[in-house]
Amino acid sequence: QVQLVESGGGLVRAGGSLRLTCAAPRIIFSGNHMGWYRQAPGKQRELVARISPGGRTDYADPVKGRFTISRDNAKNTLYLQMNSLKPEDTAIYYCNTFGPRSDSWGPGTQVTVSS
């Protein structure tokens, strides 16, 4: 089992910003499409954003124009810049490969947006 480790969550007011970081083992990160996922209370985990090894990005409709996914291939690190946060963004955020590895889910990082 090889886990990813997310950090950077917290409590923020609506309209605020947070930057999430994911430290990944090279064996998982290198050459793979990566994604940020989130799971809100009572809901299924969903894909928020994904990025190719070369930096091509794609976003779920609810976060388009507000979130930016990026990666540092030299550091095996994934980022999610979240701006204009809304209460409905409240969730635990996870990183994983796109087409997630079931044995690699980390603990996630809690993001709470107050109104």
Side-chain angles (χ1 to χ4, degrees), residues 16-20 66-67 80-85 93 111:
S17 298
L18 285 172
R19 189 192 195 206
L20 306 185
R66 301 188 297 120
F67 290 11
L80 186 68
Q81 177 67 43
M82 306 187 295
N83 299 329
S84 302
L85 282 161
Y93 284 72
V111 171

Side-chain angles (χ1 to χ4, degrees), residues 96-115:
N96 206 325
T97 53
F98 174 65
R101 295 171 54 125
S102 59
D103 63 347
S104 297
W105 291 109
T109 186
Q110 176 70 49
V111 171
T112 303
V113 185
S114 63
S115 57

Side-chain angles (χ1 to χ4, degrees), residues 20-34:
L20 306 185
T21 299
C22 169
R26 185 176 183 275
I27 193 171
I28 293 178
F29 191 87
S30 182
N32 284 319
H33 294 248
M34 297 296 296

Side-chain angles (χ1 to χ4, degrees), residues 5 10 46 56 80 96:
V5 180
E46 62 178 357
R56 188 169 183 171
L80 186 68
N96 206 325

Side-chain angles (χ1 to χ4, degrees), residues 4-102:
L4 301 102
V5 180
E6 304 88 354
S7 62
L11 173 64
V12 64
R13 287 190 173 185
S17 298
L18 285 172
R19 189 192 195 206
L20 306 185
T21 299
C22 169
R26 185 176 183 275
I27 193 171
I28 293 178
F29 191 87
S30 182
N32 284 319
H33 294 248
M34 297 296 296
W36 282 100
Y37 302 78
R38 69 185 180 186
Q39 187 167 19
K43 295 187 177 181
Q44 289 191 333
R45 186 150 43 195
E46 62 178 357
L47 178 69
V48 173
R50 59 174 172 160
I51 186 168
S52 71
R56 188 169 183 171
T57 59
D58 192 22
Y59 299 90
D61 286 343
V63 307
K64 279 182 180 177
R66 301 188 297 120
F67 290 11
T68 302
I69 187 172
S70 61
R71 64 192 293 162
D72 185 330
N73 291 331
K75 296 181 179 179
N76 299 321
T77 302
L78 187 70
Y79 304 99
L80 186 68
Q81 177 67 43
M82 306 187 295
N83 299 329
S84 302
L85 282 161
K86 303 176 180 180
E88 51 263 44
D89 295 318
T90 295
I92 300 175
Y93 284 72
Y94 304 87
C95 62
N96 206 325
T97 53
F98 174 65
R101 295 171 54 125
S102 59

